[in-house]
Amino acid sequence: QVQLVESGGGLVEPGGSLILSCAASGFDVDMYDLAWFRQAPGKEREGVACLKARYGVELYAEAVKGRLTISRDSVKKTTFLQMNDLKLEETAVYFCAVGAACVVRENVVTASVDLWGKGTPVTVAS
C-alpha cells in the first residue's frame, strides 16, 4: 500500500524539542523530494522543510532556519524532522509529503505534492 504515516507529535513546552518521523511504504522514497508542512488552527498549510532527491539539498522556510532539520533514512524509508527551540505559534498539525520541485518562495517551502500523510499534531504550550 502506498502511504506515508507520521508519528512523534505531542505536547512540548516552549523552547523544547521534538522529533517527527514519517514512514513511507509502497514506493521508492529516494526518487522524490521529501517535505514537511504544517497547518496551524485557522491558517493555511505552509511548507517548512524539504530534502531534495537530487544531491540531498535541504531547504527551509525562513521562520524555522537553524531550528528545524530534515533528514532521511533511506534503508528504513523514513523521513525525520528534528525540531528545536519550539515556539508557541508553531502549534500545528505537521504533515509529511513526497513530490517534486521543492523551492523556497516568499520565505516558505513550496512543492508539487504527489502524496500526503495524515498528519501528527504538535502542541507547544506551558
Side-chain angles (χ1 to χ4, degrees):
Q1 184 177 3
V2 175
Q3 63 178 0
L4 298 170
V5 179
E6 301 94 334
S7 61
L11 174 64
V12 62
E13 292 185 347
S17 298
L18 276 178
I19 301 176
L20 305 183
S21 300
C22 174
S25 58
F27 64 99
D28 184 359
V29 296
D30 290 341
M31 297 179 61
Y32 297 90
D33 291 353
L34 308 172
W36 286 92
F37 289 74
R38 65 188 179 192
Q39 188 165 16
K43 295 190 176 181
E44 294 187 355
R45 193 173 299 189
E46 65 174 6
V48 295
C50 175
L51 183 60
K52 295 186 70 67
R54 194 168 187 180
Y55 306 126
V57 174
E58 299 172 28
L59 301 176
Y60 296 96
E62 191 63 31
V64 306
K65 275 185 178 178
R67 298 185 299 111
L68 272 59
T69 304
I70 187 171
S71 62
R72 72 178 165 201
D73 183 328
S74 296
V75 173
K76 295 182 179 179
K77 301 177 74 172
T78 300
T79 306
F80 303 97
L81 186 67
Q82 170 74 51
M83 305 192 293
N84 298 325
D85 191 21
L86 283 162
K87 305 178 186 304
L88 291 170
E89 59 267 30
E90 295 183 302
T91 292
V93 178
Y94 284 71
F95 301 87
C96 67
V98 296
C102 272
V103 294
V104 175
R105 184 172 292 123
E106 296 183 358
N107 296 322
V108 295
V109 169
T110 65
S112 175
V113 174
D114 293 316
L115 180 66
W116 291 96
K118 293 184 177 180
T120 185
V122 172
T123 301
V124 185
S126 300

